[in-house]
Amino acid sequence: MRVYNTLSGRKEELETLEPNQVKIYVCGPTTYNYIHLGNARPLVVFDSLRRYLIYQGYKVTYIQNFTDVDDKIIKRSREKGENALELAAHYINEYFKDAAALNILPADAHPQVSRHMDDIIKAISILIAKGFAYEVDGDVYYRVRAFKGYGRLSGRSLEDMLAGARVEVDERKEEAADFALWKAAKPGEPSWDSPWGRGRPGWHIECSVMANKYLGDTIDIHGGGNDLIFPHHENEIAQAEALTGKPFVRYWMHNGFITVNSEKMSKSLGNFFLLRDVLERFPADAVRFYLIATHYRSPLDFDDGKLEEARKALGRLKTTLLLVNEFQQGNHSLKVKPEGEALNLNQAVTDLQQEFIAALDDDFNTARALGSLFEISHRINNYLASARPDRAMDQAAVAEAAAIFKELGEVLGIFIDRQQDETAGIDKVLDIIAAIRHFARQERDYQLADDIRDFLGAMGIVSEDTTGGTRFRYESPPKLSLLMEKLIALRSNFKSRKQYAQADYIRDSLQQAGIILEDTREGARWKIAEA
RNA sequence: GGGCGGAUGGCGAAGUGGCUAACGCUGUGGUCUGCAAAACCACCAUUCACCGGUUCGAGUCCGGUUCCGCCCUCCA
C-alpha cells in the first residue's frame, strides 16, 4: 500500500516498523461541544483506513485522544457556569454516541489529557533538562530554535515564520515562535501541581506524550485534519523527537476540509453543522458514505443536496443487498461448480474486488474503490434479473458474489443496520397491509390499492409490486400507531361494506402478530399482547 | 507578503503519458408493470480553466496566465 506522506510531500510505500503491525494515532476532538461534520470526516476516514488495514491482515493498534483540558473548554465552562472538567467529560460521553451512529469502531484507547498529568509534567521536566524548554514565571516554553528541523512538516523555515508573524509577541518568550508547554494557572481555572507551580499543559504536549506512551517512541501513522499540520503536528514532532531522540512518526496523513459555500466549516466561523443535527435529517450510513465518496485529501463541499445524492447512491448499493436477500429467501445455496454465466459473474466480481483493493492501496482512494463496488452491485443485479431462485447454480453464484460485495462494504463501514427495536412488529403490520392491498388488486379495486400505497408513501414507505408480492422499503421505521390507525380505518371500511372476510382477516392476522384488536362502540382499539 | 493544494460533462467525482475520459446523481428512449416504483438494456464530455513547451503521443510532465481554497492565529 502507498500513502501520501505530508512530511515528504509524495506517496510512499507503507513500510511499518514491525511487519504486519500498524500503530496509528489520530488527533481527536477538543471536547467543548458536540462534534460537527468537520470533526466527523477524519473519524470516518481513519476508521475506514483502520478497517482496511485489518482487512489486509495487519494487526492495528489505534489510539485516539480527547483534549479535555483547554482554553476553549474553560471559556465555555465560564459561559455556562459549569466545572470545566465536568463539561469536557459530558461531551466525551456524547462523542461516543455520535461516533457509534457513524459506525466508528472504538479506539484501542482513548487517552485524555486530564488523566496523564504526571506523564506530561515528567516530559516537560526532561525537555527543560535537555535545554529544549525554559521556565518563565510559572510558564514553560519550548525553545523552537533548539530543535533543528523545526518547520519540516509544514514546509516553512523559522525565519519565514518570524517574518510573517501576525501574533502579538509575548516579551517574556525568547522568540516569538516559542510555544507554551505549561501555563501557570489563573484563578478559577482547572490546575495541577507542578515543579513550576500550579498550572495546566499547553495544547501540543499532550498528544506527543500520549502517543509515545501508548504506541512507543516511533509510531507508524499519525492522522488528523489539514489544519493541524501547523502548529499542532509541527510542535508534536519537536517535542517528541527532542524527548526521545528518535523519529516520531513514519507517515503523516492529513485529510482535507469540509467547506460550506466554499468556506471552511469551523466552530470559530460559526458555519458548522453539528453531526447530530445532520443525523436527524439523513441516515447515518448516507453521511458516512458521503464522507468517503471523495478522496480524503480533497476538500469536500457540504450541502443537503450532496447528502441527498449520497443517500440515493448508497440506496442503490443497499438495493442489491435487498434483492439478494429476497432471492435467497427460503433457499439455501449448495456447493455447485459454477459454469457459463455463473462463472462469468464470479470471475467479474473477483476482478472488481482486486480493483477495489488496488484503489485503496493507492493512497486510500475510497472514491475509486466505491466505483468498483457500484460495478459489483451492477453485475449482481444484472445476474439476478434472469436468475431463478430454484436453480442451485444461480444460488451458488449469487451467494459467492454477494459475500464479496458485503465484505467490501464492511471494509468501508457503509452497510449500517437500521434500528431493530419496534421493527419486527412494524414489518408484520406492513405484511398485513400488503395482503389487503394484494386482495384489493385481485378484486381490481385499484382505488383502494392506490389509496394504501399513497398512505404508505406519505409515511416515507415505498411499496413496490413484484410478481411474488409487495415489498416495502423505508429509511426510518414508521410509527406503529399510525400504521394501526390506517389498518383500523381500512377494517371499518370493510365492515361497513359487509366484507367480513377481509375484516376478520385483519383481526386474526394482527392477533398472530401479537396485536390484539377490540371493537368498542367508539371504534376499534388495539394493544400489544403481553408476552 | 510567505507556504501548500486545486480548476475534468447539467451536478458530484475518479483518472498512476498511450485501450472507446471510471463511478454516482440527474435526464432521455426501451423491457417489465393495472398504474407506479425498483431492477434490467441503451444513450448522455472529439473533451479535461487559458497560453506556450517537452514527446511519436499529455487531462496526466514542464513554464507562464487567470481564478479558487487552505495554512501562517484557536480549529478536524
Side-chain angles (χ1 to χ4, degrees):
Chain A
M1 180 182 195
R2 280 147 45 90
V3 297
Y4 181 90
N5 190 349
T6 306
L7 196 55
S8 66
R10 54 172 168 256
K11 293 180 192 174
E12 296 173 9
E13 194 59 37
L14 178 68
E15 284 164 17
T16 55
L17 204 56
E18 292 171 56
N20 298 318
Q21 285 193 38
V22 195
K23 295 171 176 177
I24 305 179
Y25 185 93
V26 176
C27 282
T30 299
T31 50
Y32 66 105
N33 196 351
Y34 301 111
I35 62 169
H36 62 72
L37 203 59
N39 297 302
R41 164 116 102 149
L43 298 180
V44 169
V45 164
F46 291 108
D47 178 70
S48 303
L49 175 67
R50 176 190 188 185
R51 287 166 183 264
Y52 179 62
L53 291 169
I54 291 169
Y55 178 71
Q56 287 292 48
Y58 284 99
K59 179 182 178 294
V60 180
T61 310
Y62 191 92
I63 307 295
Q64 181 187 98
N65 73 295
F66 289 114
T67 299
D68 64 346
V69 176
D70 171 271
D71 290 348
K72 294 185 294 297
I73 296 172
I74 292 168
K75 181 163 176 274
R76 190 90 201 270
S77 72
R78 286 229 174 92
E79 289 163 8
K80 299 186 78 175
E82 289 173 20
N83 175 288
L85 285 172
E86 284 171 18
L87 180 105
H90 169 72
Y91 286 116
I92 287 172
N93 201 33
E94 296 300 316
Y95 161 85
F96 283 109
K97 294 181 191 169
D98 288 337
L102 281 182
N103 204 202
I104 309 283
L105 300 169
D108 293 301
H110 285 278
Q112 299 170 32
V113 184
S114 63
R115 301 190 181 173
H116 292 80
M117 282 306 156
D118 291 347
D119 299 304
I120 290 169
I121 289 167
K122 195 173 144 210
I124 296 172
S125 304
I126 295 172
L127 285 172
I128 293 175
K130 285 189 164 187
F132 286 101
Y134 55 92
E135 190 220 325
V136 187
D137 309 329
D139 290 342
V140 180
Y141 293 99
Y142 188 95
R143 183 177 283 126
V144 168
R145 196 164 289 281
F147 182 73
K148 65 177 191 326
Y150 188 78
R152 212 150 53 91
L153 182 70
S154 51
R156 66 193 86 203
S157 69
L158 195 51
E159 280 60 39
D160 288 343
M161 276 178 266
L162 296 177
R166 293 192 268 161
V167 243
E168 274 181 52
V169 181
D170 184 336
E171 293 300 327
R172 302 173 312 152
K173 291 200 284 188
E174 290 179 3
E175 201 139 23
D178 292 351
F179 57 91
L181 294 171
W182 189 262
K183 298 177 174 184
K186 298 193 183 89
E189 289 182 354
S191 60
W192 289 260
D193 281 324
S194 81
W196 322 285
R198 285 192 75 81
R200 61 193 164 92
W203 174 35
H204 318 289
I205 189 68
E206 86 282 10
C207 275
S208 32
V209 168
M210 296 193 293
N212 283 152
K213 173 163 181 169
Y214 288 87
L215 295 171
D217 290 347
T218 301
I219 68 182
D220 293 307
I221 296 173
H222 191 131
N226 231 328
D227 56 347
L228 294 182
I229 295 173
F230 189 89
H232 190 54
H233 289 161
E234 194 69 71
N235 291 352
E236 277 187 50
I237 293 173
Q239 292 161 348
E241 298 192 355
L243 222 37
T244 67
K246 296 182 191 146
F248 178 43
V249 171
R250 296 169 70 82
Y251 305 91
W252 285 95
M253 294 178 73
H254 294 98
N255 61 273
F257 280 107
I258 292 187
T259 57
V260 180
N261 299 325
S262 297
E263 247 195 337
K264 176 179 166 181
M265 178 187 295
S266 75
K267 290 176 185 172
S268 46
L269 288 176
N271 63 344
F272 61 90
F273 290 83
L274 293 181
L275 177 61
R276 52 183 60 196
D277 292 340
V278 174
L279 289 178
E280 281 195 10
R281 290 180 295 131
F282 294 93
D285 48 9
V287 175
R288 183 165 176 128
F289 179 95
Y290 158 77
L291 291 172
I292 57 171
T294 298
H295 184 85
Y296 74 93
R297 285 195 285 124
S298 301
L300 181 51
D301 202 56
F302 170 82
D303 65 57
D304 281 12
K306 307 239 170 73
L307 271 177
E308 180 59 20
E309 190 182 314
R311 194 186 63 76
K312 284 181 181 163
L314 176 63
R316 188 178 180 78
L317 296 179
K318 295 187 92 168
T319 293
T320 295
L321 251 25
L322 184 90
L323 293 174
V324 165
N325 199 38
E326 205 170 75
F327 183 77
Q328 293 177 326
Q329 209 62 44
N331 293 285
H332 46 277
S333 87
L334 304 160
K335 281 269 179 262
V336 179
K337 206 175 162 80
E339 296 168 4
E341 287 301 305
L343 188 63
N344 287 345
L345 172 71
N346 290 341
Q347 187 54 248
V349 170
T350 310
D351 289 348
L352 287 163
Q353 178 181 24
Q354 291 314 310
E355 284 181 20
F356 179 98
I357 290 168
L360 295 184
D361 273 347
D362 184 11
D363 194 26
F364 202 55
N365 194 331
T366 50
R368 188 140 63 88
L370 282 173
S372 303
L373 206 55
F374 276 104
E375 292 191 53
I376 293 174
S377 163
H378 170 254
R379 292 300 299 232
I380 294 175
N381 291 349
N382 178 268
Y383 189 86
L384 246 23
S386 57
R388 281 174 35 199
D390 58 349
R391 265 189 86 207
M393 194 184 292
D394 286 349
Q395 285 292 343
V398 169
E400 193 181 318
I404 292 172
F405 180 66
K406 287 177 193 166
E407 181 180 293
L408 300 183
E410 278 309 307
V411 169
L412 298 177
I414 50 176
F415 294 151
I416 305 176
D417 284 331
R418 308 278 204 243
Q419 297 284 304
Q420 287 297 316
D421 9 38
E422 225 186 13
T423 327
I426 286 166
D427 285 344
K428 284 176 185 165
V429 172
L430 281 175
D431 283 344
I432 296 165
I433 294 177
I436 294 167
R437 185 152 173 278
H438 187 63
F439 290 152
R441 289 175 66 226
Q442 279 186 336
E443 302 288 335
R444 298 189 179 279
D445 189 350
Y446 292 124
Q447 198 187 337
L448 178 59
D450 288 353
D451 167 55
I452 292 172
R453 187 171 59 196
D454 290 347
F455 162 74
L456 293 170
M459 295 184 62
I461 303 167
V462 178
S463 44
E464 296 167 9
D465 297 333
T466 67
T467 43
T470 302
R471 154 168 87 221
F472 294 109
R473 305 213 265 162
Y474 47 81
E475 290 288 343
S476 51
K479 280 246 186 315
L480 186 58
S481 58
L482 293 174
L483 293 181
M484 287 305 300
E485 210 175 286
K486 182 63 181 178
L487 205 47
I488 288 165
L490 289 170
R491 182 160 170 272
S492 75
N493 219 333
F494 284 131
K495 283 171 72 179
S496 67
R497 287 195 277 170
K498 301 203 186 299
Q499 293 175 307
Y500 294 115
Q502 280 91 330
D504 287 350
Y505 169 79
I506 292 173
R507 186 167 58 193
D508 292 345
S509 36
L510 275 174
Q511 189 154 25
Q512 276 175 27
I515 296 171
I516 297 167
L517 201 60
E518 294 172 346
D519 287 314
T520 69
R521 276 169 305 193
E522 289 78 27
R525 68 172 174 232
W526 64 278
K527 62 182 180 187
I528 294 171
E530 304 293 339

